Amino acid sequence: MQLAAVIMAGGKGERFWPKSRTKLPKQFLNIFGSKTLIQQSIERLEKLIPITRIFVVTNELYAEIIKAQIPHLPYENIIIETVGKNTAPCIGLASIIIEERFPDSTMVVMPSDHLIRDEEELLNILKAAIKYSEQDHVITLGIKPRYPETGYGYIQIDTSSKISDDPPVYGVKRFVEKPDIRSAQVYYSLEDYYWNSGMFIWKVSLIRRYIQTFLPEIHDLLEIMKSEMKFNNTREVVSKHYHKMTDISIDYGIMEKIDGIQMIPCNFGWDDIGSWTALERINDTDEFGNVIKGNIMSIDTRRCIIESNGKLIATLGVEDLIIVQTEDVTLICHKNKAQDIKNIITELKSQKKDQYL
């Protein structure tokens, strides 16, 4: 059995605007530690899988950034989507390339922009997940909620279907889309709901069968592409066909429809850094609960997240604000609106102020 990994790195990180921009989104930023999020993702996987079997799916804008940040990644392992089509086509495209180069592989799928504090624990979990995936099961990793979160999907497990104790493995009842705050509060209070980490482990042959069953139009296009890739440049083939793919997530297109999914509850210091409020969880705060970075003067300022790009930011008598200064944008936002920052992106697009995107 061969292992291969797919890192999805095409997202724009809109809730981390204005630092995360179209030309340099969140996964390529140094948010925590000395390296960018995608560099951290690659490094931790290399402890389990050789770099020659690690693939990154992204778009044309980011291929050169990836090449610069991860120079030892084989360039042919950068899979370029010609247009963003969500996670099901992304994973499907990676699966046919891996299937051709490394037959009978088991595939680890991970986002590129998540923080993992305990990498050793993650690797132990992945080793166990790979073992269970050999029995033709989809394995996913769930995170016990630490608070009611509306920005994550959830997984409900069947607590009566414990398959293993070390590590614990449960059958999955259902996947739940990102909830409203009332539903999130309910899920947080229950023992059988977990955050959906977006990490999956499966045999390539298994996910290909599921795509054929539940997403036949995508499957047919993948078969055409796989056939043409034998005689043509991969990127030319993708350019010719990929835009025809249905825009659908792997959760909605497949995970919500199949039985026998297994979930491993995890505790490896996971955070998807999905919005600015994540900085309170991953950084130390001052005596007034503020997270401060850069040239800041704060007086009577409490529970704020403030980041300066060099110019002085002075605050007086404010609470619970996000204040972020970049070279050309200053964001001021209440913390309880952090998940809605993408609405600013929508408005900028409608006003054709693309230089700020």
Side-chain angles (χ1 to χ4, degrees):
M1 178 195 67
Q2 297 189 93
L3 297 178
V6 174
I7 295 178
M8 298 180 289
K12 296 180 180 178
E14 291 182 342
R15 288 175 295 171
F16 218 72
W17 184 89
K19 192 169 182 180
S20 177
R21 308 290 277 268
T22 299
K23 293 182 179 179
L24 194 69
K26 180 180 67 169
Q27 59 268 30
F28 305 116
L29 299 177
N30 182 346
I31 293 174
F32 184 83
S34 60
K35 299 190 177 178
T36 68
L37 292 173
I38 193 168
Q39 287 173 329
Q40 293 178 39
S41 297
I42 292 283
E43 283 192 359
R44 71 175 67 104
L45 277 174
E46 280 190 274
K47 296 172 183 176
L48 185 65
I49 300 170
I51 191 67
T52 54
R53 298 205 298 268
I54 297 176
F55 295 79
V56 178
V57 185
T58 189
N59 63 53
E60 194 75 54
L61 279 174
Y62 309 140
E64 292 304 315
I65 300 174
I66 292 168
K67 187 177 178 181
Q69 291 198 0
I70 314 162
H72 65 299
L73 177 73
Y75 196 59
E76 62 270 21
N77 286 21
I78 302 174
I79 302 172
I80 296 178
E81 299 176 290
T82 50
V83 61
K85 284 290 184 177
N86 219 316
T87 52
C90 165
I91 289 168
L93 175 59
S95 72
I96 61 171
I97 291 172
I98 292 171
E99 188 175 50
E100 186 67 23
R101 288 180 55 183
F102 304 109
D104 303 317
S105 292
T106 292
M107 183 171 161
V108 177
V109 179
M110 306 186 79
S112 62
D113 55 357
H114 292 182
L115 173 68
I116 307 292
R117 290 181 180 273
D118 189 344
E119 293 188 355
E120 183 178 353
E121 177 64 11
L122 169 65
L123 294 175
N124 289 335
I125 292 292
L126 287 177
K127 289 173 186 176
I130 289 162
K131 181 182 71 173
Y132 285 106
S133 73
E134 292 175 10
Q135 302 168 21
D136 258 6
H137 289 293
V138 169
I139 312 296
T140 187
L141 308 186
I143 311 296
K144 191 60 185 171
R146 299 187 296 273
Y147 49 86
E149 173 59 69
T150 60
Y152 303 157
Y154 286 71
I155 300 170
Q156 184 184 21
I157 61 168
D158 181 357
T159 54
S160 66
S161 67
K162 197 172 188 181
I163 298 157
S164 170
D165 288 314
D166 187 23
V169 181
Y170 294 91
V172 170
K173 276 188 177 180
R174 63 173 183 146
F175 284 74
V176 182
E177 297 294 320
K178 295 176 183 178
D180 57 31
I181 185 60
R182 289 186 179 180
S183 298
Q185 288 169 342
V186 171
Y187 300 156
Y188 173 64
S189 70
L190 298 173
E191 290 296 318
D192 56 344
Y193 280 85
Y194 289 76
W195 286 335
N196 181 355
S197 71
M199 302 181 198
F200 298 98
I201 301 91
W202 48 49
K203 287 183 179 179
V204 173
S205 57
L206 179 62
I207 195 61
R208 293 276 282 126
R209 289 201 303 272
Y210 282 142
I211 292 173
Q212 181 178 17
T213 300
F214 298 106
L215 300 171
E217 293 180 0
I218 290 178
H219 168 78
D220 292 346
L221 280 169
L222 291 173
E223 286 296 301
I224 292 169
M225 293 166 69
K226 185 179 178 183
S227 177
E228 292 187 10
M229 284 175 186
K230 294 178 181 178
F231 308 102
N232 298 281
N233 179 278
T234 295
R235 293 182 184 179
E236 291 177 0
V237 174
V238 174
S239 179
K240 180 179 177 182
H241 295 290
Y242 197 73
H243 67 279
K244 305 171 190 175
M245 292 279 186
T246 305
D247 187 324
I248 190 168
S249 72
I250 197 74
D251 288 354
Y252 186 74
I254 294 179
M255 297 300 113
E256 294 181 4
K257 299 175 182 177
I258 62 177
D259 297 321
I261 302 176
Q262 297 176 357
M263 192 206 81
I264 301 178
C266 300
N267 182 23
F268 41 64
W270 176 90
D271 200 303
D272 86 334
I273 318 184
S275 68
W276 281 102
T277 55
L279 297 191
E280 294 177 312
R281 300 191 295 270
I282 66 175
N283 289 290
D284 294 331
T285 59
D286 68 14
E287 59 184 315
F288 302 108
N290 301 304
V291 176
I292 290 176
K293 182 179 180 181
N295 190 9
I296 312 295
M297 177 192 296
S298 61
I299 301 172
D300 192 21
T301 298
R302 302 178 188 280
R303 300 179 304 280
C304 288
I305 298 166
I306 312 172
E307 182 166 324
S308 163
N309 192 44
K311 294 180 181 179
L312 175 66
I313 296 177
T315 60
L316 173 63
V318 297
E319 298 179 348
D320 299 314
L321 293 182
I322 299 167
I323 304 171
V324 180
Q325 174 197 78
T326 66
E327 186 175 332
D328 58 346
V329 173
T330 300
L331 169 71
I332 303 171
C333 168
H334 198 280
K335 286 197 312 192
N336 65 14
K337 292 291 184 180
Q339 294 289 348
D340 298 326
I341 287 176
K342 57 187 177 181
N343 295 341
I344 297 176
I345 306 293
T346 301
E347 185 62 23
L348 288 171
K349 289 177 180 176
S350 72
Q351 294 186 23
K352 302 189 184 305
K353 295 183 177 181
D354 295 349
Q355 68 270 30
Y356 300 116
L357 296 177

